[in-house]
Amino acid sequence: MGEFIAAIMAHKPDLMVDVRYRPFSRRIEFNKNNLARHLGLAGLDYEHWPGLGTVQYQSKDKIQIAVPAEVDRLHKLAEGKRIVVVCACATTSPARV
């Protein structure tokens, strides 16, 4: 967890947005509540926005990856903050974050 947070904090973000639809992991430290607590101790705010990571099937041939309103909300928020968006629960190498 320490390496993961260090890799993120190297970019000096104000906020981490977790877009996992189900923010749970086999690695318990990456579950939503534990991740939020660890990030808070490092001075980083955490928010869970499942609408950005939800795949919506509009028809057999057409899918939409994120809810447009959530994308607009992220763009507006990004005007005044540095944001990290997390799409995966864990990685074997922090350099791949």
Side-chain angles (χ1 to χ4, degrees):
M1 175 60 77
E3 292 179 58
F4 177 79
I5 291 175
I8 290 168
M9 296 304 287
H11 299 282
K12 299 179 175 50
D14 300 306
L15 172 67
M16 173 189 277
V17 175
D18 183 349
V19 301
R20 297 175 293 166
Y21 181 68
R22 290 184 180 95
F24 305 105
S25 172
R26 287 178 289 178
R27 294 179 58 185
I28 196 166
E29 65 269 24
F30 289 96
N31 287 341
K32 178 182 176 177
N33 293 338
N34 291 333
L35 182 57
R37 183 174 51 80
H38 285 291
L39 293 169
L41 292 172
L44 182 58
D45 291 332
Y46 168 95
E47 292 184 19
H48 178 226
W49 293 14
L52 281 175
T54 303
V55 175
Q56 295 184 357
Y57 295 90
Q58 297 176 340
S59 71
K60 183 176 95 175
D61 300 319
K62 185 177 179 185
I63 64 169
Q64 181 173 315
I65 301 300
V67 177
E70 291 291 287
V71 174
D72 291 342
R73 179 178 163 211
L74 182 63
H75 281 212
K76 289 176 185 169
L77 184 62
E79 291 175 6
K81 293 186 177 187
R82 293 179 58 100
I83 299 172
V84 173
V85 177
V86 174
C87 306
C89 60
T91 181
T92 58
S93 169
R96 294 172 54 190
V97 174

